[in-house]
Amino acid sequence: MPHAVSLLRAARLARSAKPFLARGGFKRERCEGCRLVPTHCMCALRPAVATRAGVCLLMADIEPLKPSNTGWLIADVVADTFAFGWARTETDPALLSLLGDPQWQPYVVFPGQYAAPERVVHTVASSPGSLDGSAAKRPLFILLDGTWGEARKMFSRSPYLDALPVLSLEPEQISQYKLRRSGRDDHFCTSEVAALCMNLAGEHIAEQTLEAYLAVFTHHYLRAKNQQPIVWEGAAHQRLREVQAVTTAAPAAP
Ligand SMILES: [Zn+2]
């Protein structure tokens, strides 16, 4: 069953008058499951983690078409991932009903400086046992997936987001996170933001799986681009196997 981002990609492709060519991309055949060329397919490595938390991706127009989009990876890992194309003039009724669904507590993940102070939160009510009534709900992280300019537009021109709390990631959390990833640039991609949200929700297996899976994807993506073979026994694959070994060894949730 294709996941939410895959379906959104297919719908967006169907609307295109001409075929989309990724910038600097390769025009070779791609796997439907992972968007990579078949020789570099990573479908066999796709992890799945049971989570209470969900993710709702609001995606800028061509974002689902980009082979480098990492919202796709979130949808691979987190079963309750929803994806919607964003447009200023129309809103998918399914998005509105998701946001109104009482099982979820939605959070818009965005820098707090752009929101009214009373909306800004830095923590997630995630423990089902806590006395706070909101904790009975499952956290739903709304990620604005696009360029920074597109994300700002989505944030300011989506009235249905205006009443929701804004989860602002603290600079300390971000810098701690960066310390753990060695030798990478400062760009924070969507699946890294999702990993940080899972951390705040106490979903550490999901957090670690997203991190490890992103590293595996980055390896496959770059090796495909450079027409080099996959290093199956490299650090990235090893780390993903370790994380998955923990997942399968953990007792089933009650
Ligand atoms: Zn594949």
Side-chain angles (χ1 to χ4, degrees):
M1 167 78 184
H3 59 50
V5 179
S6 175
L7 293 171
L8 193 59
R9 174 185 165 84
R12 183 62 186 75
L13 276 174
R15 288 207 314 277
S16 307
K18 55 183 178 186
F20 175 81
L21 290 180
R23 187 159 42 111
F26 29 91
K27 276 193 276 178
R28 289 175 282 164
E29 182 198 350
R30 290 174 182 279
C31 169
E32 287 293 311
C34 65
R35 309 162 297 169
L36 292 159
V37 289
T39 48
H40 290 64
C41 170
M42 57 184 267
C43 289
L45 304 174
R46 189 182 303 145
V49 181
T51 57
R52 271 191 88 232
V55 175
C56 174
L57 295 163
L58 288 190
M59 302 181 89
D61 185 39
I62 64 161
E63 202 57 45
L65 301 181
K66 294 182 183 168
S68 58
N69 172 273
T70 62
W72 185 284
L73 306 178
I74 303 170
D76 280 344
V77 173
V78 177
D80 281 318
T81 298
F82 307 87
F84 299 93
W86 186 86
R88 188 179 58 79
T89 48
E90 52 184 339
T91 307
D92 190 331
L95 169 61
L96 299 180
S97 61
L98 174 68
L99 299 182
D101 184 334
Q103 73 166 307
W104 298 109
Q105 171 57 58
Y107 295 92
V108 187
V109 182
F110 206 72
Q113 69 206 80
Y114 298 95
E118 62 272 20
R119 289 178 67 195
V120 178
V121 299
H122 298 284
T123 56
V124 174
S126 62
S127 157
S130 97
L131 293 174
D132 180 354
S134 65
K137 297 190 172 197
R138 303 169 64 190
L140 180 69
F141 299 110
I142 302 170
L143 306 184
L144 309 181
D145 196 8
T147 63
W148 172 237
E150 288 166 336
R152 281 196 67 175
K153 200 196 278 183
M154 289 188 236
F155 184 74
S156 61
R157 298 188 193 169
S158 307
Y160 45 88
L161 300 180
D162 288 349
L164 302 176
V166 173
L167 177 64
S168 182
L169 304 175
E170 302 269 25
E172 311 88 79
Q173 293 162 346
I174 293 174
S175 57
Q176 263 189 17
Y177 193 94
K178 279 181 182 160
L179 278 178
R180 280 190 279 135
R181 341 170 289 168
S182 53
R184 302 258 303 279
D185 66 17
D186 278 357
H187 180 70
F188 229 42
C189 72
T190 308
S191 79
E192 288 173 311
V193 174
L196 209 42
C197 291
M198 290 296 163
N199 174 296
L200 291 176
E203 306 257 20
H204 299 295
I205 301 284
E207 175 199 6
Q208 290 166 23
T209 304
L210 283 166
E211 286 174 11
Y213 192 49
L214 173 65
V216 165
F217 170 70
T218 304
H219 177 82
H220 281 243
Y221 182 84
L222 292 177
R223 300 293 275 193
K225 203 168 175 180
N226 298 321
Q227 307 200 19
Q228 294 166 326
I230 297 298
V231 183
W232 294 95
E233 297 305 318
H237 292 81
Q238 182 58 37
R239 173 71 186 138
L240 184 60
R241 279 193 290 270
E242 282 168 14
V243 172
Q244 286 179 295
V246 172
T247 316
T248 45

